[in-house]
Structure formats: C-alpha cells, structure tokens
Amino acid sequence: MPTRNLLWTSGWDSTFRLLQIILVEKENVQPIYVIDKTRRSLKVEMEGIKKIQEKIKELYPEAYQRILPVWYAEEDLTINKEIEESSKYINSLVRLGPQYSWLAQFCHNHNLSNIEISNDKNLRTDSLTYFLMTNFINADLTNTLNQEKYNKIAPVFKHFSFPVTMLSKRDMLDIAIKNKWENIMYLTWFCHKPRKNKACGKCTPCINVIKKQMGFRIPVVNRMKGYFKIYFSRKKSNRKLN
C-alpha cells in the first residue's frame, strides 16, 4: 500500500488532506511535523495533533491504523546558498513565509521528495498559492522566460507536491460536512499567537481565516479585533493610493 508523506501541523488544510488520504484514498500516511521552538503556537499545535488522532481513533479505528507515528523532526537547519538565493528571489515577487526556506532545507538534508504541503486555493494575484500555480505548478516551460523563473523557484519548492490547491477552505468545510468529518476539522489549529489557547484574531493566519469566511472559528471578541485590523489596514492602503 502506498504511503503519502504529509507535512502536518494540525492545521485546517493539512488535516483535511490527512483525512482524504486515510478515509477516501485509503492509503497510509506519514505525518511530518518540523519543530520550530520559536513558534508561539508550538504547544497548541502539538496538542492539536494528539486531539485529532484521538478523535480519528474514536470515529474511524480502521482508518486510524493507516496513520504512521508522527515524525517529530527537531534539528538545527542552516539554509544553504541555493535555497537562500531562491527564497530571496521569490520574496522579490511575492511574500514568502520563512517556514518555506527551512522546510526546503529539511527536505534537502533528508533527500526527501514529493512531500505533500497543503496550500489552499487562493485566486488573489498577490498570494503565494496563485504565484505557485502560475509560475511553478502549471508553468508553461516551453517559454524560455518561464523556464528561467521556474529554475529560480525550484530550489525552495521542488521537494513538494500540492494536493489541495484547487480547494478553498470553504470547499473543504463542505466536503467535511458531507462526509461527517466536521467534528474532527473543528479540532484543527491555525493561530500563530494564541492567548490562553484561544485564537488571537490578529495574526496573519487569523486574518486569513476571517477573510476566507471562516471567522466563526475565532472567539467573538478576538474576531472583532481582526475585523478592526482589516478595516484600518484597508483604510491605510486607500490613503496611500490617494
């Protein structure tokens, strides 16, 4: 039976993909969690992984057997020159989170390929997913300029596959409800700066959750903080344009 290698953070997208693998495709999955000790959400993410596993075991004991022990990778990662230069190039074109560089380095160090990374659908032309779809995943390599750009992007992303880029978070929710997975999905985590184990509402992942019509997952008071941040950010941008 094939085994899928999946970067799993207990987040919405990667948990959805894990459920797809074990419940729909009925294949084994090797979850990988690369530990970043500076990450404020480290504790709640690791607790989330355990809670999700327990819920899967309760509801789908047979499918639970398809989940291999989580590979908790903890190591010092020194970014090599090729990945560093590729990251700088990508950052000059679109915002690239720092985690992609050290995930690429981790894969390089362990000679890993086809590692599933879960980036949801995003049609905003300034988003990383849109950038990857147009310049890497679906790039027309018959064009010399496209090939050159692809080669510059590849050191960071060549280790990965992108199984959920055609699905939005709302699409995943609809599929989860249809398949009665929603109770598992609601155990997922996303906030980078939790307060008392609650989503802060103001960090980048929280703002993205609100923008993608998933704000119900954030406590009301913290959600309002997110709405205010979005409002004042737009107001500031409009002032610059004027």
Side-chain angles (χ1 to χ4, degrees), residues 157-168:
F157 289 106
K158 66 183 179 182
H159 305 280
F160 307 117
S161 61
F162 306 86
V164 296
T165 51
M166 299 307 294
L167 296 172
S168 68

Side-chain angles (χ1 to χ4, degrees), residues 34-82:
V34 182
I35 294 173
D36 175 7
K37 289 185 176 179
T38 66
R39 194 174 176 91
R40 286 177 59 178
S41 56
L42 175 64
K43 182 181 177 182
V44 287
E45 287 182 357
M46 295 182 76
E47 288 174 352
I49 285 173
K50 291 179 181 177
K51 288 177 183 177
I52 292 166
Q53 285 182 306
E54 288 169 0
K55 196 66 175 177
I56 293 172
K57 187 176 182 179
E58 174 193 334
L59 298 176
Y60 305 100
E62 182 182 349
Y64 174 77
Q65 300 301 318
R66 300 188 185 109
I67 305 174
L68 278 62
V70 179
W71 176 4
Y72 290 104
E74 183 177 358
E75 57 191 82
D76 292 326
L77 295 168
T78 301
I79 309 301
N80 67 35
K81 186 177 180 180
E82 185 183 38

Side-chain angles (χ1 to χ4, degrees), residues 16-46:
F16 173 84
R17 179 58 187 150
L18 182 135
L19 293 172
Q20 265 194 331
I21 293 169
I22 63 171
L23 294 172
V24 178
E25 298 168 9
K26 299 187 185 302
E27 295 181 356
N28 292 335
V29 59
Q30 172 61 72
I32 304 169
Y33 184 91
V34 182
I35 294 173
D36 175 7
K37 289 185 176 179
T38 66
R39 194 174 176 91
R40 286 177 59 178
S41 56
L42 175 64
K43 182 181 177 182
V44 287
E45 287 182 357
M46 295 182 76

